Amino acid sequence: MTTNSSVTVIGLGLMGQALAGAFLAAGHPTTVWNRTADKAEQLVGQGAKLADSAGDAVAASPLVVVCVSDYDAVRELLEPVGDRVGGRVLANLTSGTSQGAREMAEWAEAQGAAYLDGAILAIPSDIGADAVILYSGARSAFEPHESALKVLGAGTTYLGADHGLSSLYDVAVLSLMWNIMNGFLQGAAMLGAAGVDASTFAPLASKGVETVNTWLAGYARQIDEGAFPALDSTIDTHLAAMEHLIHESEFLGVNAELPRFIKAMTDRAVSDGRGGEGYAAMIEQFRKPSAAGDRT
């Protein structure tokens, strides 16, 4: 009979509790630790072992999963017990930056540990089901624990050896999320000024998102190939429509900062001679660093 490997989970916020719960449900002996021990009570009732200290938690398992507030908190917890992490795989599922991930990997490897950086693209209730969780780091660190990590979500994905990839993918998806939501809010604000409920707008907005989704693969090919044929409409055509959005927003007394910002970037693309190309050519504007005056 195959025995499931033991796992440690450090950090028992809502997400950490969900991670530990998924390991327990899958039959993995699970050690947990949190600064405030009362957050472990329910997990202990499900069979988890509560470690007396962060060092004991690290020493308890070959795979140590960390999910806390930020990378500073990770280092604050692990650096004092660095002498106990050697020979283990640290899987850090804390949100952070690619630079922070690479620095964390250097520290872990200096202690003799292997390091995986991870990004959870899900909410706690998705853990153990269809959660998408990304991992980056040495394949030799991922593969021995792949079966254990997969119990956290059907969307478990290994990205490659660069420890920073998970964080980069994470913020790329966040950018997509915020832009979609902000576009919906802009539209809902305008329609609301005309007495239309957001609930009435939502179904049509969803259809619009679905339509844009069908364009992404083609845009991706154009970006990778560096050629931007105007298969549907040109940037010049988009620019004219942006004027309508700004006008309607201002006429209705709705904030026009977002559409004005988008138009300003599009104006620069036209000034660069890309007005006759397809919208994917806007990638060149996003590739440029922000002007000093634009930084906050």
Side-chain angles (χ1 to χ4, degrees):
M1 184 177 74
T2 301
T3 302
N4 286 334
S5 58
S6 61
V7 181
T8 287
V9 177
I10 294 178
L12 299 177
L14 292 177
M15 186 61 78
Q17 291 181 43
L19 297 172
F23 284 128
L24 287 167
H28 288 271
T30 303
T31 298
V32 296
W33 185 83
N34 194 70
R35 287 184 189 275
T36 52
D38 59 347
K39 288 189 176 181
E41 289 179 1
Q42 184 175 353
L43 293 166
V44 170
Q46 296 171 12
K49 178 183 177 181
L50 176 61
D52 292 331
S53 67
D56 288 345
V58 168
S61 308
L63 174 63
V64 180
V65 176
V66 184
C67 185
V68 291
S69 57
D70 54 37
Y71 281 22
D72 287 341
V74 175
R75 298 194 78 129
E76 184 179 341
L77 289 171
L78 294 184
E79 286 184 347
V81 298
D83 59 333
R84 306 188 76 174
V85 304
R88 286 161 177 78
V89 172
L90 300 180
N92 182 17
L93 300 184
T94 302
S95 295
T97 66
S98 59
Q99 179 182 356
R102 294 178 184 121
E103 291 172 351
M104 194 71 220
E106 289 180 4
W107 176 85
E109 289 166 1
Q111 316 311 309
Y115 181 78
L116 291 172
D117 202 79
I120 302 173
L121 308 185
I123 58 177
S125 61
D126 291 334
I127 299 299
D130 57 356
V132 174
I133 305 180
L134 310 177
Y135 295 92
S136 52
R139 184 176 289 277
S140 59
F142 177 76
E143 287 185 343
H145 300 287
E146 183 175 2
S147 61
L149 294 172
K150 280 188 172 180
V151 309
L152 301 179
T156 296
T157 304
Y158 174 72
L159 299 174
D162 180 354
H163 293 95
L165 283 176
S166 294
S167 291
L168 282 174
Y169 269 82
D170 187 24
V171 294
V173 172
L174 288 173
S175 172
L176 182 67
M177 178 188 74
W178 287 321
N179 278 286
I180 291 171
M181 291 195 301
N182 287 337
F184 172 73
L185 296 176
Q186 182 80 35
M190 290 192 297
L191 287 167
V196 179
D197 291 339
S199 296
T200 302
F201 174 45
L204 184 60
S206 295
K207 290 293 184 183
V209 172
E210 290 173 9
T211 298
V212 173
N213 182 49
T214 66
W215 301 343
L216 297 186
Y219 276 24
R221 284 193 298 273
Q222 291 186 19
I223 291 167
D224 291 342
E225 294 169 0
F228 309 103
L231 302 177
D232 41 29
S233 59
T234 65
I235 288 179
D236 284 332
T237 302
H238 282 282
L239 185 61
M242 290 174 189
E243 293 280 7
H244 302 158
L245 174 56
I246 293 168
H247 173 80
E248 285 288 4
S249 296
E250 293 177 340
F251 177 76
L252 294 167
V254 169
N255 190 305
E257 290 176 77
L258 178 59
R260 281 198 172 279
F261 172 73
I262 295 169
K263 180 181 178 294
M265 291 189 71
T266 310
D267 283 334
R268 291 198 289 270
V270 172
S271 295
D272 289 346
R274 297 191 173 274
E277 295 181 291
Y279 196 78
M282 287 290 295
I283 186 67
E284 301 301 343
Q285 301 305 312
F286 286 93
R287 284 171 169 160
K288 296 178 180 179
S290 302
D294 293 339
R295 295 173 187 159
T296 57

